[in-house]
């Protein structure tokens, strides 16, 4: 065996993980080749010391953040993007409060027409929607990524006609510094998909997006929406040499699906 | 993401407990940036959740996880293009590196050797550093490293050897510099 054949076996030799045959071959070579013997000895000392280098330990905040995000996902998973139970309780208390006040007003004013009470129900529904929008938009503005993820899971409950929530989601798809929030925001766009504005915005987002994982999510969304108008943009992505190879492949797959 | 079941989230927590420390070490060794590395660890686990369907259970999980980790690191690297952290900016991170059975003098000498070795590792080109991290710190099999780096097993062995040679050269250069 030549020196060049032996050297790739060094690491296993030092670690004692060579087969008995290979070990014998290495030992035979080291006996007759002083250069390899000296080199193996020097490198082995470094190899052993590498294992002694202290490992960096993450801060406990990493675990906390992970479980926070996980719980945000869990809330989303339990009933299809349902926000945290505590927040819901708060919302239902507010809604019940509004209902009580409205009812009290109704009793106070005495007889009321059916039309008037229907108006009140509509008004009440509007109040709850406003509250939902308020909570969504406020969570989406938070510094912490897991709070913003929670905001995204609230957004799924917004009215499909709520353009303010839609705009906020699109802004997060395009600009959120955290990839997980961007991804969740892409998924949260689905309820808004009947809206032409949403579909156009998804195509625009694909054109502007540089994060491969988000690009793939946007392509998947366009396929799910059976968006035929996306063909041109998908063709561009499929041959874009600056795009990730996985993204190009996904774009080709999407073009086949949409045909 | 809405289709993630509670059972899958529980599994993700188990995976997190099992692997987050070694992933953190991988990212810190590559990037020398603790904050970034913590973000990347978090990122990897939620990518695992998203791409869980693409995992082939007949293959080693660690190999698949490190493929995702590499990808996450490259994506982040693109975002940070141009930001290079100099070695002098990197704060040394040792507590007590020497082994317990060494006497006080050996103890000190060993500590210095390890500090020098750590500096040499930090100065190693990224691809060489990565292969040593995977083979020595993460103790992955050559087959798994080959899958992670998308190359042949024989190539991995040659690259580990070359990385060790390069490490040795830097190490001795640093030692010389210190002595002079």
């Amino acid at each position: 065996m030549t020196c060049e054949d032996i050297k790739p076996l060094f690491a296993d030799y030092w670690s004692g993980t060579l087969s008995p045959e290979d070990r014998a071959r290495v030992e035979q070579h080291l006996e007759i080749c002083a250069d390899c013997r000296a080199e193996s000895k020097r490198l082995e000392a470094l190899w052993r010391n590498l294992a002694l280098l202290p490992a960096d330990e993450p801060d406990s905040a990493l675990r906390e953040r992970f479980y926070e995000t996980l719980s945000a996902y869990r809330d989303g998973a339990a009933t299809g993007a349902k926000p945290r139970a505590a927040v819901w309780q708060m919302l239902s208390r507010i809604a019940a409060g509004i209902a009580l006040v409205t009812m009290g007003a109704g009793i106070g004013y005495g007889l009321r027409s059916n039309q008037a009470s229907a108006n009140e129900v509509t008004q009440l529904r509007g109040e709850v929607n406003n509250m939902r929008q308020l909570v969504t938009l406020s969570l989406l503005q938070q510094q912490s990524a897991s709070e913003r993820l929670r905001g995204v899971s609230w957004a799924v409950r917004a009215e499909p006609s709520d353009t303010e929530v839609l705009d906020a989601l699109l802004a997060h798809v395009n600009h959120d510094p955290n990839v997980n929030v961007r991804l969740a925001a892409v998924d949260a766009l689905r309820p808004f998909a009947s809206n032409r504005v949403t579909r156009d915005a998804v195509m625009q987002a694909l054109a502007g997006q540089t994060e491969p994982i988000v690009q793939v999510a946007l392509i998947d969304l366009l396929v799910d929406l059976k968006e035929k108008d996306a063909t041109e943009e998908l063709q561009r992505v499929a041959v874009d040499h600056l795009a990730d190879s996985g993204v190009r492949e996904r774009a080709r797959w999407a073009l086949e699906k949409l045909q | 993401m809405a289709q993630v079941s509670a059972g899958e989230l529980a599994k993700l927590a188990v995976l997190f407990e099992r692997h987050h420390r070694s992933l953190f070490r991988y990212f810190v060794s590559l990037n020398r940036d603790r904050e970034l590395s913590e973000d990347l660890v978090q990122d990897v686990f939620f990518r695992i959740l998203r791409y869980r369907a693409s995992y082939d259970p007949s293959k080693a999980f660690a190999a698949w996880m490190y493929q995702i980790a590499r990808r996450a690191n490259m994506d982040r690297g693109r975002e940070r293009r141009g930001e290079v952290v100099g070695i002098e900016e990197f704060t040394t991170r040792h507590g007590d590196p020497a082994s317990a059975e060494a006497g006080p003098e050996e103890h000190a000498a060993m500590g210095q050797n390890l500090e020098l070795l750590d500096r040499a590792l930090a100065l190693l080109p990224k691809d060489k550093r990565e292969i040593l991290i995977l083979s020595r710190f993460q103790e992955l099999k050559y087959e798994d490293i080959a899958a992670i780096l998308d190359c042949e097993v024989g190539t991995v062995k040659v690259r580990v050897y070359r990385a060790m040679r390069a490490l040795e050269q830097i190490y001795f250069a640093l030692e010389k510099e210190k002595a002079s």
Side-chain angles (χ1 to χ4, degrees), chain A residues 7 12 39 42 47 53-54 56-57 59 63 65 67 69 73 77 180 187 211 213 217 244, chain B residues 1 4 9 17 21 25 34 38-39 42 46 50-51 71 79 93-94 136-137 142 161 165 168:
Chain A
K7 285 170 177 175
D12 275 333
E39 186 179 284
R42 289 193 321 266
W47 182 254
L53 286 179
D56 285 275
E57 287 289 329
D59 290 337
R63 176 182 270 111
R65 258 177 70 201
Y67 283 103
T69 316
Y73 271 83
N180 294 317
D187 283 349
E211 190 71 42
I213 193 176
D244 179 90
Chain B
M1 237 164 282
V4 180
L9 291 174
E17 291 303 336
R21 278 188 199 80
R25 191 179 192 192
R34 289 182 61 90
E38 289 186 358
D39 283 351
Q42 175 100 339
F46 290 97
R50 181 157 190 100
Y51 288 127
R71 193 70 253 193
E79 279 172 27
R93 55 196 162 99
H94 309 309
R136 198 60 180 135
F137 294 170
Y142 285 141
Y161 166 73
R165 276 301 307 257
E168 185 196 25

Side-chain angles (χ1 to χ4, degrees), chain B residues 81-107:
Chain B
R81 239 183 328 230
E83 269 180 59
V84 179
V85 178
I87 182 71
E88 64 282 357
E89 283 178 47
F90 174 65
T91 47
T92 42
R93 55 196 162 99
H94 309 309
D96 181 11
S99 65
E101 62 267 34
E105 275 171 36
E106 289 96 331
H107 203 100

Side-chain angles (χ1 to χ4, degrees), chain A residues 52-242:
Chain A
L52 299 177
L53 286 179
D56 285 275
E57 287 289 329
D59 290 337
S60 59
L62 172 64
R63 176 182 270 111
E64 283 163 28
R65 258 177 70 201
F66 170 78
Y67 283 103
E68 247 183 52
T69 316
L70 195 67
S71 94
Y73 271 83
R74 185 172 290 132
D75 293 339
T79 52
K82 182 182 163 190
R84 288 200 141 186
V87 186
W88 263 118
Q89 274 167 13
M90 177 193 82
L91 183 70
S92 50
R93 273 203 295 274
I94 293 167
I98 295 169
L100 267 178
V101 170
T102 321
M103 208 164 75
I107 293 166
Y109 286 113
L111 283 171
R112 301 176 71 86
S113 70
N114 278 347
Q115 182 56 43
S117 59
N119 282 345
E120 268 166 17
V121 170
T122 314
Q123 197 186 343
L124 180 63
R125 196 175 288 143
E127 301 261 10
V128 173
N129 283 339
N130 284 346
M131 190 57 64
R132 210 177 266 160
Q133 187 200 55
L134 196 74
V135 175
T136 307
L137 295 176
S138 117
L139 284 171
L140 282 174
Q141 283 163 11
Q142 297 302 307
Q143 282 265 308
S144 130
S146 55
E147 288 294 307
R148 294 201 302 280
L149 265 180
R150 213 171 283 155
V152 170
S153 60
W154 269 85
V156 177
R157 299 231 150 199
E159 290 292 312
S161 57
D162 191 333
T163 51
E164 250 185 276
V165 170
L166 175 60
D167 286 348
L169 280 177
L170 288 169
H172 284 275
V173 168
N174 291 322
H175 307 298
D176 198 287
N178 184 296
V179 176
N180 294 317
V181 178
R182 280 197 229 172
L183 283 174
V186 171
D187 283 349
L189 287 175
R190 284 170 205 272
F192 299 90
S194 56
N195 192 334
R196 187 66 248 167
V197 179
T198 312
R199 290 161 173 259
D200 290 343
V202 171
M203 284 185 274
Q204 269 172 21
L206 178 59
Q209 187 65 237
T210 51
E211 190 71 42
I213 193 176
V214 184
Q215 288 173 314
V216 168
L218 287 166
I219 292 171
D220 288 358
L221 179 58
L222 288 169
V223 170
D224 288 350
L225 301 178
K226 299 190 173 61
E227 183 54 65
K228 300 263 189 218
D229 290 351
T231 313
E232 202 178 314
E233 178 56 26
L234 287 169
Q235 275 164 346
R236 187 195 64 77
V237 175
V239 295
D240 181 2
H241 289 292
L242 292 175

